[in-house]
Amino acid sequence: MQTLQSKHASEIWSYFADICAIPHPSKHDEKLRQWIINWAQEKNIECVKDEVGNLILKKPASAGFENKSAIILQAHLDMVPQKNSNTEHDFLVDPIQTHIDGEWLHANDTTLGADNGIGMASCLAVLADNTLQHGPLEVLLTTDEETGMVGAFGLKSGALQGSILINTDSEQEGELYVGCAGGINVNVNMHYEKMEVEPTDSAYEITLTGLKGGHSGCDINLGRANAVKVLVSVLNNLAAIPFHLSTLQGGSLRNAIPREASTIIVCDKQYQNSLETLIATLNQQLVSEFKNAEDTLSLQIKSTLLPTSILTNSSQKNLLDCLFSCPNGIVSMDDNFSNVVQSSSNLGVLEQNKTNLRFELQVLVRSQVEDEKQKIAEQISQHFQAHLGKVRKDGNYPGWKPNVESKIYKIMEAQYIKLFDNKPKTMVIHAGLECGLFSEKYPHLDMISFGPTIKFPHSPDEKVHIDSVDKYWKLLIATLKSID
Ligand SMILES: [Zn+2]
């Protein structure tokens, strides 16, 4: 990173090197927080730690800018700790090691923490640089964003004075974010009755694999198959065969589109051939149905050990009917922004608990519009309740409704055109940003989110585009100067 520090004008790389040297995985960002507190003290920068561990640093306006709007610059302190299984790295102790590969800065087989370390470094660089021009400035560094936006949830209303907030946590240079979705979890428990298996029957395992999955918000409009929903429709297509369901499961994360699902069914051995033929045909149909979005989809069947129990006919019918007709995917599109999903739901996890005889489902509903989010969550709840499911909603967080009249957006867009001679893209992200929580606590805030280009965040392949950091910095300081 020393090469970067010497070649590029801003202090971002030097602060980013400091940040990489100090372990700061989510839930363990205290060392970095303390380093920043000490740093601020040395530089005579006012710095307050709040009850949850957020830092608020303050810098007075530069000369002549005392009457300009007060600005909040914001990043999160923590990073996602991910490494490859064969990599030796202790995120609590070891510094992040980096290397340059062409136009990109990578970490050595771990997450880099450019999400949101570059944003954080830019906040420190702005605080430290007395040649910059801007109105009264507050820097908000939130704790544990990556594990449920803990800092943003815990932030007190009244702690910040600024009227404009610039969030640095989005990941594509050339895009300006003006809104984000909120979310709510719908958790469902479906009890079932079981019965014994005919010992002369045979069992078959049907698996659906090779799907792309992806983020349940950002990727929900890509036409990808939801493994659970598709496998349930496969089972519906087997109606000609009198089969019994023993096992059904799929997905592993609420916020990811399920990539795999599997089921074990039981029937008389005489149906084996028809079953195999049917599954092969359905495989072909699915490959063709999803040909634009999935290229490695595979539906397979194989014989397996006879399980000890199966669902009763009525439990089986109830479960399959209810999963088949459960709404899933895009619910509505945003009227003001083309190709932006406004509301969606993702049936992310279906688990079977054989001890307690129940199926446990996790659904995540997202929307930029609070009322619509609540309405969809309630519709899904009622759907499962009508099928005797027990429903619990939790994890509610607000969205950030896009404001087409945003002043900071207009300023930043104008500065972008002036600097780079083309128009930035206006974006709304169908996923959660801390801005949703800020807008709930500070309804008057005019907000924007931007950042340098970061690919594959939250994975050991995370990398940041070096030149995009220069552009990010130029846009940031030009924007700060232009806010009136
Ligand atoms: Zn982030």
Side-chain angles (χ1 to χ4, degrees):
M1 226 183 298
Q2 257 168 6
T3 351
L4 296 178
Q5 288 173 42
S6 60
K7 273 194 197 153
H8 296 262
S10 84
E11 289 296 306
I12 287 189
W13 292 114
S14 138
Y15 284 116
F16 187 59
D18 291 333
I19 289 166
C20 288
I22 305 158
H24 58 288
S26 299
K27 304 287 175 205
H28 299 280
D29 53 16
E30 59 285 341
K31 281 187 196 146
L32 182 58
R33 179 169 29 248
Q34 194 53 51
W35 182 87
I36 294 171
I37 293 171
N38 298 345
W39 172 88
Q41 207 161 31
E42 270 169 34
K43 294 217 170 305
N44 256 326
I45 295 166
E46 187 185 335
C47 176
V48 184
K49 183 179 108 175
D50 74 5
E51 283 164 34
V52 284
N54 299 316
L55 293 180
I56 297 172
L57 300 100
K58 293 187 184 177
K59 183 183 176 191
S62 47
F65 282 69
E66 294 83 356
N67 297 324
K68 308 273 184 187
S69 302
I71 307 157
I72 304 160
L73 193 55
Q74 190 258 326
H76 61 80
L77 279 163
D78 61 317
M79 67 174 277
V80 173
Q82 285 285 312
K83 64 186 182 86
N84 291 322
S85 54
N86 55 359
T87 305
E88 294 244 345
H89 185 95
D90 184 345
F91 281 98
L92 295 178
V93 183
D94 300 334
I96 300 293
Q97 307 280 354
T98 62
H99 66 271
I100 296 171
D101 183 4
E103 297 179 359
W104 300 86
L105 180 75
H106 298 245
N108 299 354
D109 302 312
T110 66
T111 35
L112 175 62
D115 166 16
N116 192 196
I118 297 286
M120 194 176 1
S122 72
C123 292
L124 300 183
V126 168
L127 286 168
D129 188 342
N130 289 323
T131 68
L132 300 179
Q133 292 175 301
H134 51 74
L137 184 83
E138 293 164 292
V139 163
L140 169 64
L141 302 176
T142 49
T143 187
D144 292 338
E145 186 270 349
E146 303 285 10
T147 49
M149 301 195 271
V150 176
F153 266 105
L155 182 72
K156 290 263 171 346
S157 49
L160 296 161
Q161 268 74 55
S163 57
I164 289 172
L165 185 141
I166 303 175
N167 168 286
T168 62
D169 195 21
S170 55
E171 289 154 354
Q172 181 63 51
E173 191 283 316
E175 295 181 349
L176 303 179
Y177 285 81
V178 298
C180 76
I184 185 167
N185 301 331
V186 181
N187 309 288
V188 185
N189 258 318
M190 307 247 326
H191 175 76
Y192 66 89
E193 304 285 339
K194 65 172 182 178
M195 62 186 191
E196 284 185 7
V197 181
E198 285 291 337
T200 52
D201 274 352
S202 298
Y204 303 93
E205 183 179 23
I206 304 170
T207 53
L208 179 62
T209 57
L211 302 181
K212 288 212 170 68
H215 189 279
S216 78
C218 303
D219 299 331
I220 201 79
N221 57 343
L222 301 180
R224 293 180 181 170
N226 177 314
V228 173
K229 290 287 286 180
V230 172
L231 188 59
V232 167
S233 72
V234 165
L235 289 171
N236 266 359
N237 275 300
L238 301 182
I241 295 166
F243 73 89
H244 298 284
L245 192 67
S246 175
T247 303
L248 182 59
Q249 63 198 11
S252 57
L253 287 169
R254 184 194 304 277
N255 60 1
I257 300 167
R259 283 182 296 108
E260 296 186 346
S262 67
T263 180
I264 292 176
I265 62 167
V266 170
C267 63
D268 192 295
K269 191 154 176 58
Q270 62 164 307
Y271 297 107
Q272 179 164 344
N273 279 345
S274 336
L275 252 182
E276 287 170 352
T277 314
L278 205 46
I279 291 296
T281 309
L282 289 169
N283 181 48
Q284 282 314 315
Q285 282 176 12
L286 290 172
V287 166
S288 133
E289 181 182 344
F290 290 102
K291 67 175 185 299
N292 293 328
E294 305 282 357
D295 50 11
T296 52
L297 178 155
S298 171
L299 181 71
Q300 301 290 333
I301 183 166
K302 64 171 198 228
S303 294
T304 188
L305 288 176
L306 196 64
T308 49
S309 68
I310 48 180
L311 272 65
T312 59
N313 292 343
S314 62
S315 287
Q316 175 174 328
K317 183 172 180 342
N318 182 53
L319 178 75
L320 294 181
D321 285 355
C322 147
L323 290 173
F324 183 73
S325 55
C326 166
N328 186 70
I330 297 172
V331 178
S332 63
M333 300 299 288
D334 197 302
D335 287 338
N336 294 311
F337 298 89
S338 61
N339 296 323
V340 171
V341 177
Q342 177 161 292
S343 301
S344 72
S345 70
N346 180 57
L347 202 179
V349 182
L350 170 66
E351 274 173 352
Q352 185 174 5
N353 184 327
K354 290 199 169 184
T355 319
N356 297 327
L357 299 185
R358 62 183 189 218
F359 287 91
E360 292 161 359
L361 288 95
Q362 296 180 27
V363 179
L364 175 51
V365 176
R366 299 181 190 266
S367 180
Q368 276 90 260
V369 181
E370 182 64 25
D371 293 355
E372 195 167 303
K373 185 185 78 185
Q374 297 296 348
K375 196 175 101 192
I376 297 162
E378 188 50 33
Q379 280 167 345
I380 292 177
S381 302
Q382 289 188 16
H383 169 80
F384 284 107
Q385 281 159 349
H387 290 270
L388 309 174
K390 286 203 169 60
V391 177
R392 182 172 49 85
K393 287 186 259 185
D394 64 13
N396 184 44
Y397 63 91
W400 163 28
K401 192 166 169 22
N403 171 14
V404 277
E405 294 303 314
S406 164
K407 191 171 110 186
I408 182 64
Y409 174 76
K410 286 178 180 152
I411 292 171
M412 205 176 241
E413 184 190 45
Q415 291 307 312
Y416 192 95
I417 294 169
K418 206 163 132 190
L419 283 168
F420 308 124
D421 207 21
N422 62 47
K423 224 171 133 64
K425 276 195 207 158
T426 319
M427 306 292 288
V428 174
I429 185 171
H430 192 56
L433 284 176
E434 289 170 297
C435 297
L437 287 155
F438 302 147
S439 72
E440 190 184 43
K441 284 169 195 170
Y442 296 85
H444 66 283
L445 270 184
D446 185 13
M447 296 189 286
I448 196 144
S449 174
F450 83 126
T453 300
I454 297 168
K455 295 283 182 208
F456 314 117
H458 305 187
S459 91
D461 298 323
E462 181 182 0
K463 59 181 183 177
V464 60
H465 190 256
I466 294 162
D467 286 350
S468 78
V469 176
D470 280 353
K471 291 180 86 176
Y472 163 79
W473 176 252
K474 281 186 188 134
L475 180 59
L476 175 62
I477 58 175
T479 301
L480 290 177
K481 191 177 165 180
S482 312
I483 294 171
D484 50 16

